[in-house]
Structure formats: structure tokens, C-alpha cells
């Protein structure tokens, strides 16, 4: 178990749950960061007393400095603030719970500093998986996945990496499972964020509704577990009890089961390789009526189909897709585009820009920026 952590994205859903787990486990908090939620970050600073905190938004950081001037805490801002938090002396691990590619540089910094990465930022591996995993191998940094699906695969594969035949990546199907594209045409942001099983932030909830989330996880799993797209099968599992499975060379299938609560994989990323008692609800097998499984329908889930196409490419297609999706989802949540417009815009960006190179960090970031510009230009 780690002794101290920095939490990047501490005011979001994963960040807040990470802090609760740290408090319960007696893990010290060395640094906190957020986008612009100055009031909530102030409350966290007063409770957890980190030595350093940062806000990405400069105006919010200025307000925070004034609010906590009575405390012994340094306040940073911008990307430099996030990067400093990622390498804080005394922190054994870094929870990367920021949303989007902004988490890429801080994650690489933490890897270079040989921190344990409690990885909750999908875009880091989707955009630059080869670069990140190579850096982790070279530096000897641990990457422990926080996503429930990857945490499940990680647990099922412990001591069995050389016996893997394929990964069975499960997903609930989201709130519109089985709906046709015609039925989702008038979906509102409020409907899209109302996930039937999980309590998550708005962006990831929309991604779950479009099943882009499963596409991002597909690419992430490739990099985390050093497999090809042909080694991963997506399985729709509406109950979200089995969080993913692995099939071994002899045909044995191992599954990880638990209630759908992100607190469990968050805690395990901090305690690995050990386990600790937790307050989370236990599975009640007598209340489970059935566990059901379906194959995803690519016609009804075009975002997932697009992501699986991008997974087979070695250019910037996955990075462009991820960045374009982030921009498009923000526009949908703001009421500026429709639900079905998300995938169309992401497809257009990927077709236009996906062939950009992505073999260096600068090129990855350039592709990311180009994709965002493309989306915003399209809807002006």
C-alpha cells in the first residue's frame, strides 16, 4: 500500500472518491489539483492539508490564493501547476483523474519520477499509449488501472500474463442500450448523463451513452496489457456485475465480480498488491435474477465501431478521435449540437486529420489541438 498520494482532478467524481479512500486508509495527501472549482478545492485543502495545490484556470487560482492565505499551502496554476503536483516529493503515487489529454504531460512527468500511476485518465493511453507504456517500462514505474474494467482485467491476469488468449471487455450498454439512431435523435443532456448503474461525471456518462467510452477502453486495454485488437472482445453486460473477464489459453475464463462502485478499483490501485477492508456494498447473489450478455450492434453504436477502427492504426487516428470526441461532447452538454451529431463530427475529424503522425509527444499534442480546432470550426 502507498503511504502518500497526489490527486490530479481532485474535485471530480474519481478525485473525490480517491480522497475518501485515502482518508479511510490513512494515506497522506501531498498535492491536489482541479480545473477551476476553487471553492471545492479550498474545502479539500482545509480538510486534507496538502503542501501544494493548483488550479488550471488562472483566475480561479488567484481567488484560491486569497481564500487559503491563512494556511501553509502553496498554490500553483495552469499546466505547470499540474505538472508540479505530479512530481511532488513525498508522494508515492499519483491519481490521474483529470479529464482529457491535459493529463498526458503530468502523467509522463510522474512516470519519469517513478511514481505509481493510479490511472483514471483514459485519454492518456488512447492518445499516446505507445509513448506512455514505453516510458513506464524504461523508468520502472507502476501503472495500476482505476477504470473498473481494466482493474478487473488487471486482477484476473495477475501471475497469468503469459497464459492470456483474449480479453472480454464488458460494458453496460449505457442508458440507450438497444435504441436505434432514430430513437436517440432527440436525446437531451439530462437523459444522457443518467447512467442506469454508475455514478460518474457528465463527460464520461455521455461517452457511456454513445458507447465511445467502451471504444476508448478498448484502445486503453491494448496498451495496458500489450495485446492487439484481435485479442479483445467487447461484451455488453447490462447488469454491470462482471467488470471484465479474461480467457486463458486452456479455455478457462476468469471474471472479476463486484457491485458497480468505483470506490473498489480506486482503493485497490492504492493498496495493491495487498487488499484492505472497505465499506462498500457486497454482492448479494440471492438478489441477482440473471446475468445477461449481448454482442454490441455496430450500426447502433457507431462511436464504438469508429474507436475499434482507430485501434488498428498507428497514426494519430485514436488521438484525433479522442480529442474530437471531448470537444463534441462539451458542445452537446452545452446544448449546441444534438446527441447524434457527436459521432458524425468525430468521424469527420478522424477522416480529415487521422493520418497525422503521432510518434512523438509534440506530434500527439499537435494532433489533439488540430482535432479540437476542427470541431469548433465545424459548428461556428
Amino acid at each position: 500500500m502507498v503511504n502518500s498520494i497526489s490527486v490530479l482532478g481532485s474535485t471530480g467524481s474519481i478525485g473525490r472518491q480517491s480522497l475518501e479512500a485515502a482518508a479511510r486508509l490513512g494515506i497522506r495527501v501531498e498535492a491536489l489539483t482541479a480545473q477551476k472549482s476553487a471553492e471545492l478545492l479550498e474545502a479539500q485543502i482545509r480538510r486534507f492539508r496538502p503542501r501544494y495545490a493548483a488550479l488550471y484556470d488562472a483566475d480561479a487560482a488567484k481567488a484560491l490564493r486569497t481564500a487559503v492565505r491563512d494556511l501553509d499551502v502553496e498554490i500553483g496554476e495552469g499546466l505547470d501547476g499540474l505538472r508540479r503536483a505530479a512530481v511532488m516529493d513525498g508522494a508515492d503515487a499519483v491519481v490521474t483523474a483529470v479529464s482529457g489529454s491535459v493529463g498526458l504531460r503530468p502523467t509522463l512527468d510522474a512516470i519519469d519520477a517513478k511514481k505509481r500511476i493510479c490511472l483514471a485518465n483514459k485519454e492518456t493511453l488512447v492518445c499516446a499509449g505507445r509513448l506512455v507504456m514505453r516510458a513506464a517500462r524504461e523508468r520502472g514505474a507502476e501503472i495500476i488501472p482505476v477504470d473498473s474494467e481494466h482493474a478487473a482485467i488487471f486482477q484476473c491476469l495477475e501471475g497469468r500474463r503469459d497464459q492470456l488468449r483474449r480479453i472480454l471487455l464488458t460494458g453496460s450498454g449505457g442508458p440507450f442500450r438497444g435504441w436505434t439512431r432514430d430513437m436517440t435523435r432527440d436525446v437531451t443532456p439530462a437523459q444522457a448523463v443518467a447512467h442506469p448503474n454508475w455514478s460518474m461525471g457528465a463527460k464520461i456518462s455521455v461517452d457511456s451513452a454513445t458507447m465511445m467510452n467502451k471504444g476508448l477502453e478498448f484502445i486503453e486495454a491494448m496498451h495496458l496489457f500489450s495485446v492487439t485488437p484481435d485479442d479483445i472482445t467487447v461484451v455488453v453486460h447490462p447488469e454491470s456485475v462482471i467488470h471484465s473477464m479474461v480467457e486463458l489459453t486452456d479455455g478457462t475464463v476468469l471474471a472479476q465480480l463486484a457491485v458497480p462502485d468505483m470506490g473498489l478499483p480506486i482503493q485497490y490501485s492504492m493498496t495493491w498488491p495487498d487488499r484492505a477492508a472497505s465499506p462498500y456494498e457486497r454482492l448479494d447473489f440471492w438478489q441477482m435474477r440473471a446475468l445477461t450478455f449481448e454482442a454490441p450492434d455496430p450500426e447502433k453504436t457507431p462511436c464504438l465501431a469508429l474507436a475499434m477502427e482507430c485501434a488498428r492504426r498507428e497514426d494519430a487516428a485514436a488521438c484525433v478521435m479522442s480529442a474530437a470526441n471531448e470537444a463534441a461532447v462539451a458542445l452537446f452538454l452545452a446544448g449546441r449540437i444534438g446527441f447524434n451529431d457527436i459521432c458524425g463530427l468525430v468521424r469527420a475529424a478522424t477522416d480529415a486529420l487521422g493520418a497525422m503522425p503521432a510518434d512523438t509527444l509534440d506530434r500527439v499534442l499537435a494532433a489533439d489541438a488540430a482535432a479540437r480546432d476542427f470541431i469548433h470550426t465545424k459548428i461556428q
Side-chain angles (χ1 to χ4, degrees):
M1 185 168 76
V2 299
N3 295 311
S4 56
I5 59 169
S6 293
V7 182
L8 310 186
S10 65
T11 60
S13 176
I14 298 297
R16 296 194 305 271
Q17 292 180 76
S18 297
L19 289 175
E20 293 304 323
R24 188 176 60 254
L25 295 167
I27 296 172
R28 170 159 175 74
V29 176
E30 294 288 347
L32 299 172
T33 80
Q35 171 72 20
K36 58 181 179 181
S37 301
E39 290 187 8
L40 180 50
L41 188 56
E42 178 192 352
Q44 292 177 341
I45 291 169
R46 293 188 179 279
R47 179 182 174 190
F48 294 98
R49 299 302 172 101
R51 293 185 293 125
Y52 183 80
L55 281 162
Y56 196 78
D57 183 89
D59 291 336
K62 182 178 179 181
L64 182 62
R65 286 190 190 96
T66 301
V68 298
R69 60 184 179 273
D70 59 313
L71 300 178
D72 185 18
V73 57
E74 182 182 353
I75 305 299
E77 65 184 64
L79 181 59
D80 287 344
L82 270 66
R83 296 182 70 178
R84 180 164 177 203
V87 297
M88 280 293 291
D89 290 339
D92 301 326
V94 179
V95 179
T96 59
V98 294
S99 178
S101 59
V102 70
L104 179 52
R105 282 193 187 276
T107 300
L108 286 169
D109 290 337
I111 287 172
D112 192 52
K114 296 187 179 180
K115 308 288 188 184
R116 173 181 294 187
I117 311 298
C118 302
L119 184 68
N121 174 259
K122 293 180 177 65
E123 293 83 359
T124 290
L125 290 187
V126 173
C127 291
R130 293 179 181 86
L131 300 177
V132 171
M133 295 307 295
R134 184 174 67 222
R137 287 191 297 271
E138 290 174 352
R139 295 297 292 165
E142 300 167 344
I143 297 182
I144 312 297
V146 168
D147 267 346
S148 64
E149 294 83 358
H150 301 106
I153 297 162
F154 179 83
Q155 292 173 72
C156 290
L157 280 180
E158 287 193 86
R160 304 180 183 91
R161 291 291 182 104
D162 60 344
Q163 302 167 30
L164 176 66
R165 180 174 179 271
R166 65 169 172 160
I167 288 169
L168 297 159
L169 182 68
T170 63
S172 70
F176 311 126
R177 180 175 60 88
W179 289 31
T180 64
R181 295 282 287 167
D182 206 42
M183 294 167 68
T184 58
R185 183 182 55 201
D186 298 321
V187 160
T188 66
Q191 290 174 302
V193 301
H195 196 282
N197 299 335
W198 296 94
S199 175
M200 304 181 293
K203 193 267 182 183
I204 192 173
S205 295
V206 175
D207 283 350
S208 179
T210 64
M211 283 201 74
M212 176 60 86
N213 192 47
K214 204 53 48 184
L216 298 176
E217 290 173 359
F218 186 97
I219 298 171
E220 190 179 3
M222 283 175 45
H223 295 299
L224 272 173
F225 304 109
S226 300
V227 298
T228 72
D230 293 330
D231 298 323
I232 306 172
T233 301
V234 175
V235 179
V236 177
H237 170 51
E239 295 82 9
S240 297
V241 170
I242 295 176
H243 297 297
S244 273
M245 300 172 278
V246 299
E247 181 183 336
L248 304 180
T249 50
D250 65 355
T252 296
V253 175
L254 301 180
Q256 189 262 342
L257 287 71
V259 295
D261 191 320
M262 282 302 302
L264 284 166
I266 289 169
Q267 174 172 303
Y268 189 59
S269 74
M270 298 179 190
T271 64
W272 180 84
D274 301 316
R275 295 183 185 271
S278 79
Y280 305 112
E281 183 183 348
R282 268 46 175 176
L283 277 178
D284 186 342
F285 287 92
W286 317 127
Q287 294 300 314
M288 277 191 277
R289 296 179 180 273
L291 298 178
T292 55
F293 309 93
E294 305 166 5
D297 184 337
E299 301 233 346
K300 294 177 181 177
T301 57
C303 281
L304 173 60
L306 174 59
M308 293 172 73
E309 290 174 27
C310 291
R312 296 184 176 277
R313 298 173 59 169
E314 295 189 1
D315 51 19
C319 177
V320 168
M321 176 202 68
S322 176
N325 176 69
E326 190 178 342
V329 168
L331 292 170
F332 168 68
L333 289 169
R336 297 184 63 189
I337 64 172
F339 183 79
N340 286 354
D341 295 329
I342 295 172
C343 193
L345 284 170
V346 176
R347 167 68 76 174
T350 306
D351 288 345
L353 304 170
M356 293 177 69
D359 55 341
T360 67
L361 179 58
D362 287 342
R363 286 175 168 175
V364 166
L365 295 175
D368 180 281
R372 295 171 195 276
D373 288 343
F374 180 93
I375 296 297
H376 289 124
T377 299
K378 275 286 188 181
I379 57 89
Q380 282 181 351

